[in-house]
Amino acid sequence: MSDDASEQDGRKPLTKLAQAGRKPEWTGMPGQPGAIVSPPVWRASTILYDDVAHLRKAAGSSTHERLFYGRKGTPTAWSLADALTEMEPGAEGTMLYPSGVAAIACALMAVLKPGDRLLMVDSAYDPTRNFCTQLLDNYGIETIYYDPTAVSLDVYLEGGPIRALFLESPGSLTFEVQDVPALTAWAKANGIVTLLDNTWATPLYFPALSHGVDISILACTKYIVGHSDVMMGSVTATPDWFAKIRQTAYVFGQMVSPDDAWLASRGLRTLGLRLQQHQDSAIAIAQWLKDQPDVARVLHPALPDCPGHALWQRDFSGSTGLFTFVLNGGDDTARAALIDGLAHFGIGYSWGGFESLALPVDPARYRSATQWSAQGPAIRLHIGLEDPADLIADIAAGLARFRAVRDGG
Ligand SMILES: *Cc1c(COP(=O)(O)O)cnc(C)c1O
């Protein structure tokens, strides 16, 4: 839980990143002077009590951030959850999950019930769509997809009440920026709860609750962990919604291992530095790509021709390392020739680590309310912490391979 003092004290986000989640009771010994810097790994399943009375007292009281049983966590996970809460002004608390997808699933289960209708952004992360079709459908919950660039959603109210509005900004693969303040204001006026997948920007570059969102979701697997070695998700919510989010996480038995929480906390301390470098290098490479004749389009919110660029400029305080570019002509084989020979980019799913990645993407497959059309195949890049000059030389050689296949037939 955030304490009121830390929300009101005006500390800047980078200061919070260094200080958050380090409560004295998690870093020191009762009655002894001195404290360690970072809360250690508290591994536990069983918690032992002095007597039956204490056992019953622990079971009867609220167990949030109280030792009760390993499934409810230990100070290692609470420290990470508290730190994420501190990064989101207006938040009541944060729950942790074993993956980003688990966080999305549990957040949706917390707000929806049979008969409800859900508005889902058409540029949502593909597994989010899968959860709607493979699980919500079976529970009689209808998912309606909407255009990420829509400015009014009034038309959807004609079909009956809407329970929840799910946003992801910028969108997965295609990076459309949504008008989050306008959409959340519309939702509030219509009694609709809003959830946002904030994985790309993190609360550092987009404090979601301050922009009207009720429930903010992160795949911590990406930038919070930052080193491609832990899976984790988080849900941070307003005072109106946190109790429901927590109760749902408890009934589903969601928890994270203390070792993973500790690694994520370690990642969080350097989030500011890492994102700054991801941002600078990604913009340099995106701008270089934009000038290449073999590149038709670069989808990066910080570049003026990305849909929603003006909204990004208005609402976000930074951009990160993930964007897509569209090739000029060519087919899947020509695209593979570019990617396969890259020396400094790994080929693989996920992103947010220190290493650069290249992935062939085909957004048309994951659309239903909107159309995706492009001049050629697309590649999503995650720009890591390598020297951008090396990365540019690598992509330049890749574009030559692409050209050879495209033009050579
Ligand atoms: C990766 C990702 C997720 C899911 O996170 P996992 O930890 O891989 O389950 C959710 N949303 C977005 C936008 C992602 O990129």
Side-chain angles (χ1 to χ4, degrees), residues 63-97:
T63 58
H64 188 66
E65 295 196 349
R66 303 272 286 273
L67 285 177
F68 172 62
Y69 177 46
R71 198 175 56 235
K72 299 280 175 79
T74 67
T76 317
W78 304 338
S79 165
L80 173 63
D82 270 19
L84 292 171
T85 302
E86 275 199 55
M87 296 307 297
E88 272 286 358
E92 172 76 8
T94 297
M95 296 306 288
L96 300 173
Y97 305 80

Side-chain angles (χ1 to χ4, degrees), residues 258-382:
D259 300 82
D260 288 351
W262 184 85
L263 280 165
S265 291
R266 167 159 287 204
L268 188 68
R269 302 297 175 201
T270 57
L271 181 69
L273 263 177
R274 286 185 287 109
L275 285 192
Q276 185 65 54
Q277 189 61 52
H278 286 297
Q279 162 166 246
D280 291 350
S281 297
I283 288 177
I285 292 166
Q287 278 169 342
W288 176 84
L289 276 168
K290 202 169 137 31
D291 294 335
Q292 305 309 305
D294 300 314
V295 173
R297 212 150 37 113
V298 180
L299 302 169
H300 185 308
L303 299 194
D305 44 6
C306 185
H309 167 73
L311 297 172
W312 171 79
Q313 215 163 24
R314 185 191 70 188
D315 295 341
F316 289 66
S317 58
S319 60
T320 58
L322 192 76
F323 66 93
T324 292
F325 68 97
V326 175
L327 289 157
N328 225 335
D331 59 7
D332 189 46
T333 310
R335 172 172 65 179
L338 189 166
I339 294 173
D340 287 347
L342 291 170
H344 301 311
F345 289 80
I347 304 169
Y349 294 108
S350 201
W351 50 277
F354 52 83
E355 82 288 13
S356 286
L357 298 168
L359 190 73
V361 293
D362 300 297
R365 285 195 208 166
Y366 313 113
R367 294 300 167 109
S368 49
T370 54
Q371 295 276 320
W372 163 258
S373 61
Q375 302 86 330
I379 297 176
R380 190 187 74 183
L381 295 179
H382 178 252

